[in-house]
Amino acid sequence: MDICSIAVTCLIILNSLFITVFSTKDVAIDDNGYILFCPCMGRFGNQMDYFLGTLGFAKALNRTLVLAPWVEYRMYQPKSIQVPFDEYFRVDAVARFHPAITMETFMDEIAPTIWPPEKRISFCHQKRQSFGGKPNDPCASKNGNPPGPFWDTYEIDFVGSELHGPLSYDVHNVPGEAERWRHRYPADRWPVLAFAGAPASYPVLEQNAALQRHFQWSDKVARRAAAIKSRLPVGPYVGVHLRLGSDWEKACEHVRDAASNMFSSAQCLGYRREHGKLSHALCYPPWSTVVRQVRRAVKRVQAVALYVATDAPDRLGPLRRALANSDLEIVTGQPDGSDGDSDPHADLAVLGRANFFIGNCVSSFTAVAIRERAALGLPSGFWTFPPEPERRSQRPDDEL
């Protein structure tokens, strides 16, 4: 072989070594195992409760939490959309509390080693009713929307199911439950526990509510919130969440049938309703009360602006008229100042830092802001809570 051929051969070998060394990912596998789950119930506020509960569950079992994408439903889209976790929150902030990685990282870098397709088992408490599901999948893990699109996003199919009952997800209030999980499903035999739903309760358990402090907004959300705040005049501002849409009005009709807390009402009533009873006004406050509480909050912090997040933009006009005699500037999440739908995550980021915040006690969307503010030590209140005595008169501009 001549010198030229030897040189070419050496270059080929070196090049192949270069590719091997720099394309191989040095990923540390957690010997304690992983937890996957589908946040397949409700929208953002409900899913946030499931994330908090699952984080608490993962920490109790000492397994790395695989941060699922957020499940969203968009107009004219027949199936749910899966939005990566880090689109809205920082992974590193969660991981400082307990080991956590995104679903994308897990599937790309870890699953091929410890969770190949032939070992993918779904977990659920008991057999689920399935329509058109696979006979070897009693958990019906991919039945319907969003479960089907959720797992399909990552090309995950299950070869079987594991019914984990009677083990429960409440590792806080059931003594020894976490240890029973570890004993029944040791990480060396079960490196991945993939739950068909979330191994958590809705509403979030009292012990897990404070975990909200580990969910810090991503840079993208923070930038959008900063853009909104740049439109606020310099000075204190009050933030409010007006949950007054027609669908919410219908939901609040069920308050009369509720024997206990409803949705997130424990955030003001207490988990044992030690602070009061559920009422229709707590869920769907009278307009006169809304206006009166806004005036009080503005006066309390000497606010120069009011930031409004709402599912009922038609109420913004009456609110502006009711507050027309003040110098208060009313701002929404719409860049053009219109009364249309705004960015819910940026809304929450702005509400979370207001000088004072008023939200809906029953709403899980409000609950996200309330928990963030509690972690920051910021004051908050709720519509019609605590209840006020009956008022004999009402100002004309309080009317809708």
Side-chain angles (χ1 to χ4, degrees), residues 28-348:
I29 304 295
D30 186 353
D31 292 335
N32 294 316
Y34 297 82
I35 286 178
L36 273 69
F37 73 103
C38 175
C40 287
M41 296 292 288
R43 296 182 183 269
F44 180 77
N46 299 56
Q47 291 177 44
M48 189 74 252
D49 278 28
Y50 288 130
F51 268 92
L52 297 178
T54 305
L55 177 59
F57 180 74
K59 187 169 183 64
L61 268 60
N62 195 28
R63 286 174 174 258
T64 291
L65 176 60
V66 178
L67 297 164
W70 302 93
V71 178
E72 296 187 356
Y73 308 88
R74 297 177 184 172
M75 193 173 294
Y76 309 121
Q77 293 282 352
K79 298 180 179 180
S80 63
I81 304 298
Q82 323 317 316
V83 179
F85 177 87
D86 53 2
E87 180 74 16
Y88 301 142
F89 291 101
R90 292 175 49 185
V91 176
D92 63 324
V94 178
R96 281 196 294 270
F97 170 71
H98 181 72
I101 58 174
T102 65
M103 188 79 150
E104 292 75 17
T105 298
F106 176 81
M107 291 305 299
D108 289 345
E109 303 181 15
I110 296 174
T113 301
I114 68 168
W115 203 51
E118 66 273 14
K119 292 186 177 180
R120 293 176 182 175
I121 304 293
S122 65
F123 277 66
C124 61
H125 186 268
Q126 60 188 13
K127 184 177 180 179
R128 297 178 171 189
Q129 187 175 14
S130 175
F131 300 96
K134 296 180 180 180
N136 65 338
D137 185 14
C139 288
S141 306
K142 297 183 67 174
N143 190 48
N145 180 34
F150 176 88
W151 298 110
D152 282 343
T153 298
Y154 302 95
E155 300 181 343
I156 294 174
D157 283 307
F158 296 102
V159 297
S161 292
E162 173 71 10
L163 308 182
H164 63 73
L167 292 179
S168 76
Y169 307 135
D170 190 355
V171 292
H172 300 290
N173 299 306
V174 181
E177 195 72 339
E179 182 55 37
R180 282 188 283 273
W181 273 97
R182 288 191 290 268
H183 177 74
R184 183 168 166 180
Y185 299 110
D188 59 346
R189 290 178 50 215
W190 298 88
V192 178
L193 306 184
F195 291 92
S201 301
Y202 176 81
V204 64
L205 293 177
E206 186 174 12
Q207 293 90 341
N208 292 324
L211 297 180
Q212 186 75 52
R213 67 183 182 275
H214 304 296
F215 288 75
Q216 298 177 13
W217 297 109
S218 67
D219 290 343
K220 288 183 180 179
V221 174
R223 284 195 295 270
R224 297 201 297 268
I228 292 172
K229 292 182 72 173
S230 70
R231 295 191 282 110
L232 294 170
V234 177
Y237 71 97
V238 169
V240 298
H241 176 213
L242 292 179
R243 190 76 160 93
L244 296 171
S246 57
D247 62 329
W248 186 252
E249 185 175 13
K250 293 177 182 177
C252 291
E253 291 299 322
H254 296 288
V255 164
R256 297 180 176 88
D257 304 322
S260 58
N261 279 322
M262 178 178 174
F263 302 150
S264 295
S265 61
Q267 63 183 322
C268 72
L269 297 179
Y271 279 82
R272 291 158 291 281
R273 294 198 294 174
E274 61 269 27
H275 302 309
K277 295 182 179 180
L278 190 61
S279 67
H280 185 268
L282 195 70
C283 186
Y284 201 84
W287 184 249
S288 59
T289 302
V290 169
V291 175
R292 186 164 58 250
Q293 285 190 236
V294 168
R295 288 195 178 110
R296 289 176 180 172
V298 167
K299 184 177 180 180
R300 171 176 173 167
V301 299
Q302 296 297 300
V304 298
L306 176 70
Y307 185 76
V308 183
T310 183
D311 63 340
D314 58 304
R315 297 300 184 103
L316 289 167
L319 185 62
R320 288 189 174 96
R321 290 193 294 274
L323 301 172
N325 294 331
S326 68
D327 295 327
L328 195 69
E329 186 166 342
I330 299 177
V331 179
T332 68
Q334 285 289 344
D336 58 2
S338 66
D339 294 349
D341 295 335
S342 56
D343 177 345
H345 308 97
D347 275 344
L348 284 168

